[in-house]
Amino acid sequence: MLSYKGYLEKIREESKNTYPLKNPHNNELIEEVPECPDELMEAAISKADDAFQSFKNVSSHERASILDKTAQIVEDNLELFATTISMESAKPIKFAKGEVSRTVETLKFSAIEAKKLEGESIPLDAALNGKGRDAYTIYQPIGVVGAITPFNFPLNLVVHKAGPAIAAGNTIVVKPAEQTPLSSILLREAFVKAGLPEDAFIVVTGEGPRLGQVLLNDERVQKITFTGSPQVGKLIKSQAGLKKVTLELGNNSALYIDQSFEDQIEQIADKVVVGAFSYNGQVCISTQRIYVHDRIAEDFIKHLKNKSEKLNFGEPTDESTDYSSLINEKSQNRVFEWIKEATENGAVLHLGGNKIGNGIEPTILSDVDPSAKLSCEEVFGPVVIVNKVNNSQEALEEMNHSQYGLNAGVFTKDLKQALLFGHELDVGQVLINDVPTLRFDHMPYGGRKNSGYGYEGVKYAIKEMVNRKLISLNYSY
């Protein structure tokens, strides 16, 4: 039976210290997790580097087969994976199950792309002295990939790094978030059961800044892929030297709702409830800033409030739970203080704003000052602001007035307006007639400004985990 316990015990024996991993919802102890010393991270990199010397020669067919088998194992153990996610992150079980299903799909996409890593032919005779030569390019794996992953999607965001790495023929060392290491270990066990060599995927648990620094400093690590805060991302990029780097950072996703959708306001409110409050808003593309044409704003707020009031707070493992506890008390206090700051400066509170258990009630505010933290920072909590605008141009300006640029959405039936937003929004992805809290696992996914550097999305992540080589054949002799 698939379990994280054997691997956890193994690294626990090799570590000098542990830290208590507690359920964020009830503070009950789940496990004593190894606080791995630097030496264990160094040993993991050595093992992964040794494993790469043979794994790089494994055929793309074999790599694809491993990924497909892993997908099947994860699917067969959906309940186990979902329960583990819910237990360590307090993610409501219905959203945890959704994450597992997405993980299966990401693995399947990785298997497909493992077979599609194609180069191109280069007509060298297009150059003055190139006659008599054929040339083509190939892609080769780079080596050890160092992955630093977050707590909010502790399975699928690991797969978005591990899947492409394995598909390309690399090996990977994962440093998961301290709060959610078990999902990563369980995934690693699924890969090994599917036939991946033991040392091709290694999980090292413990303090992020310290162990991340070991990954950064080791020349055998050829790439760092990180999902987390802009502050840490900038530090990584400044210290990475010549390593390849992909950074998926913060956001405060904006949405515009045009008056042309006046007859479908209630349906949009349904989508916004999910976009703003899924997993307690702890999603980097959570719908946070909404700009609504003033003609329909009051009606929209009314529907949004009515639907949000029906959300259930409860145990993460209860199928009826819509929202639960935040990841820790620090996050709860921060979100609460940001709400308080906004209301003290004139924002209108329509719903929520209070602590509930270890979480925050779904919160809706309007007339929020653009300088308030709720507007210009990433809340990472169940809070959405709804501000009125006079026209689409004002909305466009407000949406672009941000240090972030990951996803943005717009609801409009005006094609010209839709295309204008598509071209003029300074973000990586524009979702027309959808909320910005939308990601398909095979699409390119990357941010601008403080939202990131490089791209994820299986096909696009693979291209950032390989080296391109040109081979030229002179046949004139």
Side-chain angles (χ1 to χ4, degrees), residues 179-199:
Q179 304 98 321
T180 54
L182 306 182
S183 300
S184 298
I185 295 174
L186 204 56
L187 175 67
R188 187 257 177 198
E189 296 302 280
F191 263 102
V192 172
K193 188 175 181 180
L196 186 72
E198 285 271 350
D199 293 335

Side-chain angles (χ1 to χ4, degrees), residues 116-128:
K116 291 173 59 180
L117 196 55
E118 301 167 343
E120 60 182 342
S121 63
I122 310 295
L124 292 186
D125 65 353
L128 184 64

Side-chain angles (χ1 to χ4, degrees), residues 6 74 115 159 163 258 260 265 307 313 329 345-346 456:
V74 173
K115 297 180 179 181
V159 170
D258 183 63
S260 60
I265 282 296
K307 293 174 183 297
F313 177 84
E329 185 179 6
N345 285 281
E456 287 194 343

Side-chain angles (χ1 to χ4, degrees), residues 386-444:
V386 184
N387 282 359
K388 301 175 185 178
V389 289
N390 293 314
N391 51 56
S392 61
Q393 185 58 41
E394 183 183 347
L396 182 59
E397 292 172 2
E398 291 291 342
M399 293 169 79
N400 278 336
H401 184 65
S402 173
Q403 62 176 307
Y404 301 112
L406 189 53
N407 277 17
V410 53
F411 279 94
T412 178
K413 295 180 181 179
D414 183 331
L415 180 59
K416 180 179 178 181
Q417 188 180 87
L419 291 173
L420 178 67
F421 273 80
H423 282 266
E424 296 299 324
L425 281 168
D426 192 10
V427 296
Q429 293 76 228
V430 178
L431 292 308
I432 296 170
N433 294 340
D434 270 309
V435 294
T437 316
L438 186 69
R439 178 183 182 181
F440 297 102
D441 294 296
H442 63 306
M443 76 185 201

Side-chain angles (χ1 to χ4, degrees), residues 235-253:
L235 183 64
I236 288 172
K237 191 170 185 296
S238 70
Q239 297 180 0
L242 297 180
K243 294 184 196 296
K244 291 176 179 285
V245 176
T246 297
L247 307 171
E248 292 296 339
L249 309 176
N251 195 42
N252 56 3
S253 294

